[in-house]
Amino acid sequence: MLRAIIEEVLLFVLPFCVFAAYLVINRRNPFDVEHWSPHVFRLAVAGFLLAIAVLIYGGFIAPRSEGAYEPPHMENGVLVPGRFK
């Protein structure tokens, strides 16, 4: 779960990093507010769309198991975790 959260945060930050690299390549100061202020909303929307697109894509390519789900239960005093049969 932590890995998924970190990946989503990195995907959200990716457009900001690309824009900062663009500013550096064009020899502008990436820490100057005047370069960022007109673009922050578009970069945030691009980050959200990128993160959502990867979540949807991951949902489509995730492996699917066939069979019925057997919930966790007790057998002979031992907890058996849930699984697919």
Side-chain angles (χ1 to χ4, degrees):
M1 183 67 182
L2 181 62
R3 189 183 93 192
I5 292 172
I6 291 173
E7 288 174 359
E8 296 305 318
V9 169
L10 291 177
L11 285 171
F12 175 75
V13 173
L14 182 64
F16 294 93
C17 294
V18 171
F19 185 69
Y22 168 77
L23 290 176
V24 169
I25 289 171
N26 286 327
R27 297 181 185 181
R28 296 182 182 172
N29 184 2
F31 299 108
D32 195 359
V33 175
E34 72 181 41
H35 299 304
W36 287 94
S37 58
H39 304 286
V40 169
F41 179 73
R42 287 184 285 206
L43 292 169
V45 169
F48 279 125
L49 291 177
L50 182 63
I52 290 170
V54 169
L55 283 173
I56 291 171
Y57 177 73
F60 281 123
I61 66 165
R64 307 261 193 280
S65 59
E66 299 296 324
Y69 178 71
E70 180 181 317
H73 61 279
M74 297 291 288
E75 281 185 13
N76 300 325
V78 177
L79 180 63
V80 178
R83 62 182 175 202
F84 286 94
K85 285 186 175 183

